[in-house]
Amino acid sequence: MIVEPKVKGFICTTAHPVGCKANVISQIDYVKKNEKIAGPKRVLVIGASTGYGLASRITAAFGMGASTIGVYFDKEASGKRTATPGFYNTRTFDEMAQNEGLYSKSINGDAFSLEIKEQVIQLIKEDLGQVDLVVYSLASPRRTTADGTNYVSALKTIGSDFTQKNWNLRDNTISEATLTSATEEEIANTVKVMGGEDWSDWMNALADADVLADNAITVAYSYIGPKLTYPIYHEGTIGRAKQHLADTAVSISHQYADKGIKAFVSVNKALVTQASSAIPVVPLYLSVLYKVMKEKDIHEGCIEQMYRLFADKVFGTDGIQIEADGMLHVDDWEMREDVQNEVMEIWEKIDTENLLELADTEGYWLDFYQMFGFKMDGVDYSADVEV
């Protein structure tokens, strides 16, 4: 069938298999042209099919020469409905890794479940023995716990409502968006879904099964951002969950100190992802940030961020680069004073009339479509493809 993008709100309901393959290959090519990383050789990536998780797996395999197991939760194609992009991404990754003689196996299922944890542990026992690096990169709006309780996260402020400029993606206008404040139950549910509890559950399960090597490292991902977005993110429900994630890193390191296991949170740069596209105000901030960082030639996508994280901040010659807050930071270029000053100068004057001039809206949309395999160079989108 001929696959075209069908965008509804902040999501695309189709994915192009050839475009997704081209996207993964371009990320692999980026890593391969850079220097090899002296990192672990047995890596588990939880949330491995898109965004930072996929980029982490690509970096581990093609940058470190690691054997990788990836856990992902994606739908296969059905009738005229395409698979989700992560399904095509993972299929391509496995194919490319195996073509280069790299061990690669992927498990499709709910990473929150005990069943998938047990499957992964059994696979590690059979094929790898133990793992040296665990990347935790889950991004889900809901979680069902082992007792069958379903928790749904809330994208809300804490304490009071918040109103700020917002880019209406449908008609390229600038208006205002208001986020309402969360109830205590909504805060608790968001922490339950997006906090560190499941990360801790994974580490406990791996350690109890003796498939976690001594001196192993585990990394989870977070975002803080500028003061502009604090009420939405850093000081909102998501921020509360991310604080729990940071606290969990400390507790994991303390719990397994005798085995030399260390847990870290990496604070990454703001990028267009399926999650960030859904957050009011953030797409406008992103498009302005993209413009400023591209003009300074310091813009990075997921793969550039993850290569720099592991090559420079975790497995570099100077050791693990922890900042004063106890976390790794590859948002350091985004948060540079000159970058943020220029972003805020633009923010103060941006409106509907000058939006296209002052923001990189094209760059935003290109990243959005490429997440789903569209607008990739060298792909014939008029061709009939097998989905």
Side-chain angles (χ1 to χ4, degrees):
M1 61 188 281
I2 294 172
V3 182
E4 297 177 336
K6 295 180 180 178
V7 178
K8 294 182 179 178
F10 54 85
I11 198 74
C12 185
T13 60
T14 54
H16 198 285
V18 179
C20 287
K21 182 172 186 175
N23 193 356
V24 173
I25 290 173
S26 72
Q27 294 184 60
I28 291 172
D29 287 345
Y30 173 83
V31 170
K32 287 172 68 175
K33 76 181 182 185
N34 280 283
E35 292 183 8
K36 288 293 184 182
I37 302 168
K41 300 302 182 188
R42 301 170 297 177
V43 178
L44 169 63
V45 182
I46 303 158
S49 65
T50 59
Y52 281 126
L54 173 62
S56 300
R57 193 178 187 191
I58 289 171
T59 301
F62 295 93
M64 305 176 198
S67 300
T68 64
I69 293 173
V71 182
Y72 69 116
F73 199 18
D74 281 276
K75 294 179 181 177
E76 298 184 37
S78 176
K80 292 185 177 181
R81 183 180 291 275
T82 69
T84 49
F87 180 85
Y88 296 131
N89 292 342
T90 302
R91 184 173 66 179
T92 299
F93 174 88
D94 285 335
E95 175 189 329
M96 298 301 292
Q98 288 157 17
N99 284 348
E100 299 212 7
L102 293 166
Y103 172 95
S104 172
K105 288 189 180 179
S106 303
I107 292 177
N108 192 358
D110 181 4
F112 291 131
S113 70
L114 289 174
E115 177 190 3
I116 293 300
K117 290 179 175 70
E118 289 166 0
Q119 281 187 37
V120 169
I121 287 167
Q122 190 59 36
L123 184 58
I124 295 171
K125 284 182 176 180
E126 292 173 358
D127 291 2
L128 302 182
Q130 292 182 318
V131 290
D132 315 290
L133 171 64
V134 179
V135 174
Y136 188 85
S137 184
L138 284 192
S140 174
R142 58 183 56 83
R143 172 189 174 202
T144 301
T145 51
D147 64 2
T149 306
N150 188 44
Y151 296 91
V152 179
S153 63
L155 174 62
K156 292 191 173 185
T157 60
I158 293 177
S160 60
D161 296 352
F162 174 70
T163 300
Q164 186 51 274
K165 286 182 181 179
N166 186 58
W167 172 23
N168 188 327
L169 300 174
R170 290 177 178 165
D171 60 10
N172 266 352
T173 58
I174 300 292
S175 56
E176 287 187 337
T178 298
L179 268 76
T180 56
S181 59
T183 64
E184 288 300 319
E185 182 181 10
E186 287 172 324
I187 296 169
N189 287 350
T190 305
V191 171
K192 198 79 174 176
V193 176
M194 302 178 71
E197 185 175 76
D198 184 63
W199 183 23
S200 181
D201 287 349
W202 267 100
M203 297 307 293
N204 291 339
L206 294 168
D208 290 346
D210 196 29
V211 295
L212 195 58
D214 287 357
N215 304 310
I217 287 174
T218 181
V219 182
Y221 298 139
S222 187
Y223 180 66
I224 294 175
K227 290 183 179 180
L228 172 71
T229 62
Y230 270 16
I232 303 172
Y233 206 99
H234 186 54
E235 295 173 349
T237 52
I238 300 177
R240 188 68 63 86
K242 294 301 185 182
Q243 181 57 54
H244 187 273
L245 192 74
D247 294 341
T248 300
V250 175
S251 65
I252 291 172
S253 295
H254 179 74
Q255 183 178 354
Y256 296 108
D258 60 329
K259 289 173 64 70
I261 293 166
K262 295 182 175 65
F264 302 102
V265 168
S266 173
V267 183
N268 302 338
K269 175 196 176 201
L271 286 172
V272 179
T273 64
Q274 293 185 40
S276 67
S277 300
I279 306 175
V281 184
V282 169
L284 181 59
Y285 168 73
L286 279 168
S287 63
V288 174
L289 179 70
Y290 273 29
K291 181 177 179 63
V292 171
M293 294 190 75
K294 285 178 181 179
E295 287 175 352
K296 294 179 180 292
D297 198 28
I298 55 171
H299 174 72
E300 294 175 310
C302 286
I303 194 64
E304 292 87 359
Q305 281 263 291
M306 292 301 93
Y307 178 83
R308 187 160 68 92
L309 170 66
F310 291 113
D312 296 351
K313 306 283 187 177
V314 181
F315 302 114
T317 54
D318 294 330
I320 297 174
Q321 302 294 297
I322 298 299
E323 301 295 332
D325 60 4
M327 294 188 283
L328 299 157
H329 281 267
V330 278
D331 66 339
D332 45 356
W333 296 355
E334 173 189 355
M335 299 312 298
R336 263 175 32 179
E337 187 176 0
D338 61 319
V339 171
Q340 286 301 318
N341 285 344
E342 289 187 35
V343 168
M344 289 314 302
E345 286 175 13
I346 293 172
W347 189 269
E348 292 302 321
K349 58 189 177 185
I350 199 166
D351 56 28
T352 300
E353 283 66 39
N354 59 28
L355 170 65
L356 301 183
E357 173 194 350
L358 297 182
D360 182 19
T361 56
E362 284 189 14
Y364 176 92
W365 280 115
L366 181 63
D367 273 16
F368 177 87
Y369 280 110
Q370 287 185 342
M371 278 194 296
F372 302 92
F374 297 104
K375 298 186 184 294
M376 293 297 302
D377 289 341
V379 177
D380 181 2
Y381 290 101
S382 65
D384 192 24
V385 296
E386 174 58 56
V387 302

